[in-house]
Amino acid sequence: MASELHEAIFVAKQERHKNLFLNYRNLSIFPVELLKDEGLQFLERLYMKRNSLTTLPDSLAQKLPNLIELYLHSNNIVIIPEAIGNLAKLQSLDLSDNALQVICPEIGRLRSLRHLRLANNQLKFLPPEIGDLRELETLDVSMNLLSWLPERLHQCLSLQCLTADRNHLHGLPRQLCQLQSLNELSMAANCLASLPLDLGRSRELQFVFVDNNVHLKGLPSYLYNKVIGCSGCGLSAQVPDSKLLSLALGEVAVPLPAEVKTVGSETERVVPLEELAIRALYHICHQHTKELSLLPAFLLPKSLLDVLLCPLGHCHRCSQPMFTIVYPKLFPLRETPLAGVHRRTTVSFVAYCCSSQCVRTFDLQG
């Protein structure tokens, strides 16, 4: 077995191969032959799946500087070295099915990375530096121990597919709604009780899977015309007209995000002063700067600046940004086809409006 390994590496060096397959070799340590002398400067793709590796060498980037793809699926890797950040050309990294407990912040230096797969590890959190991966298109962190996703994830402007199934997620940062390129979002088998109000507002988001989140009682109405998977979600019976508007008097049928401090009633037409002030400031900022990010940070407390940069949601009828108050309207259940599945399921949708007047005139079919 060892002689076959040596021969494969020797031939790769002699013939300057760009691809090297070392899958199923029962390797417990990284082959030193790959790191001798100048290494394999010409190697672009290294496949080392289904081995028994526990770590990676610090000199990996120095000896294999032109790596574009690195596949380490199904090993026993516990930690990856900080030097991983030196693989400047790396576009695809697969560390699925390992024993990772921590991802080092240096992963944010992989500015060419397009595909990152970390499924089936023991990760309890992701470093905020993942937000520095501006070229990232695919992120798979399913089957870990995550209870939250980093807010800076919304800075991954190229992200198209985000998968975080089978974690311990209790909520999603509302900043995810700013991912304008996101096409598929999969959060099945978590502990979600609500979803960001603006989720689905981007036309690019077409596939949303939230199966087996048993506490999730409704989906934002922006998802109405999307392909959704939601078995295990939704209410079990039709909702009478009298409960279409959730009240603050114990009749809230849909869990609301923690940021929502006040819920208006059907007869209450006065928006709280706090909400009016923030809406006015938001419009002034847009009018004079055109870009909220240009607003000098020292003019506002950081918490307020964060709210202005990312409103809680937008009115589903008039697109008015909302910050501290929403008027939810629950629509009766409808049948929704699941992607690639013949059976059908039912789900309730919720419209979030900026005033009681808006919520009374909102029609989901419109």
Side-chain angles (χ1 to χ4, degrees), residues 143-197:
M143 291 182 286
N144 276 283
L145 305 173
L146 302 173
S147 57
W148 201 257
L149 296 177
E151 290 184 358
R152 282 177 56 185
L153 197 58
H154 78 279
Q155 296 177 355
C156 299
L157 301 179
S158 301
L159 193 61
Q160 298 176 19
C161 180
L162 173 58
T163 305
D165 299 337
R166 299 185 185 182
N167 277 278
H168 301 156
L169 298 176
H170 291 274
L172 302 179
R174 65 173 185 262
Q175 288 85 349
L176 288 183
C177 299
Q178 296 180 351
L179 292 172
Q180 295 301 311
S181 298
L182 191 64
N183 177 259
E184 181 176 324
L185 177 66
S186 188
M187 300 284 157
N190 277 281
C191 305
L192 299 175
S194 63
L195 296 174
L197 274 59

Side-chain angles (χ1 to χ4, degrees), residues 199-217:
L199 191 64
R201 195 163 183 258
S202 168
R203 293 184 178 181
E204 290 299 319
L205 185 61
Q206 292 297 318
F207 303 91
V208 177
F209 300 98
V210 286
D211 308 67
N212 298 319
N213 283 276
V214 296
H215 302 296
L216 190 60
K217 302 300 182 184

Side-chain angles (χ1 to χ4, degrees), residues 54-72:
T54 58
T55 187
L56 299 175
D58 290 328
S59 60
L60 184 64
Q62 179 184 356
K63 298 299 183 178
L64 307 175
N66 291 305
L67 273 186
I68 295 177
E69 299 177 7
L70 178 58
Y71 298 98
L72 297 163

